[in-house]
Amino acid sequence: MRRLIADNLRFEHLEDAPVPLHVIVTDVLTGDDVCLSTGSALDAVLASAAIPAVFPPVHIDGRDYVDGGVVNNTPISHAVSLGADTVWVLSTGYACALTEPPRGALGMALHALTLTVNQRLAIDVKRYEPTVELRVVPPLCPIRTSPSDFSRGSDLIDCAHTTTRDWLTSRHPTTGQAALLEPHHHQ
């Protein structure tokens, strides 16, 4: 993972990014979500990608960090505290139309995590709507695919691209023009 990120990162420090870049990570010991705005871009991005139980924590300035999504997957609060007056949210959604519970411990754990993430997003949207202009792109629904099932990934990406483009064009005609680009497929 380190080599993949290093090979593709175009700047060394967060403060050198072409646009202001703030990376949200979770402090392993305190459980706090932390906003990294300076320092090694490689370490910050690696920590942000450090999914617990999949990748090890990343040690930065005497602290160990993992993926910020553990406690704040959609960090609207950080965007607001950094002065944003318009916040775009690309929600990951959740399996909102399962006909039976996910199978196995991993499937159930991932499903529970997506439910928690979406509950937090709903609370934050309600909290920050009066403060900033929130543009929350609607997630796909109904989704009948478990978060641990990647077999329909390409179909879901295509569907998300289409529905997001249509939403952007209908709600934000000027901004929506950028959505007319074809989606990038990752194998």
Side-chain angles (χ1 to χ4, degrees), residues 94-99 142-146 149 152 156:
Y94 64 101
C96 57
L98 293 178
T99 57
I143 295 179
R144 293 176 181 87
T145 304
S146 170
D149 178 2
R152 293 199 46 238
L156 291 170

Side-chain angles (χ1 to χ4, degrees), residues 64-147:
D64 289 314
Y65 298 108
V66 293
D67 181 358
V70 169
V71 295
N72 195 350
N73 194 58
T74 312
I76 297 169
S77 58
H78 287 282
V80 171
S81 71
L82 289 164
D85 52 14
T86 301
V87 178
W88 287 84
V89 177
L90 304 174
S91 173
T92 56
Y94 64 101
C96 57
L98 293 178
T99 57
E100 61 183 49
R103 296 175 195 245
L106 177 60
M108 186 55 78
L110 288 172
H111 182 66
L113 179 61
T114 61
L115 293 174
T116 301
V117 163
N118 281 282
Q119 288 297 317
R120 167 76 189 255
L121 174 58
I123 291 167
D124 281 354
V125 165
K126 187 174 181 177
R127 177 179 180 192
Y128 291 106
E129 263 182 332
T131 312
V132 297
E133 183 178 350
L134 282 177
R135 296 181 180 178
V136 182
V137 177
L140 293 179
C141 193
I143 295 179
R144 293 176 181 87
T145 304
S146 170

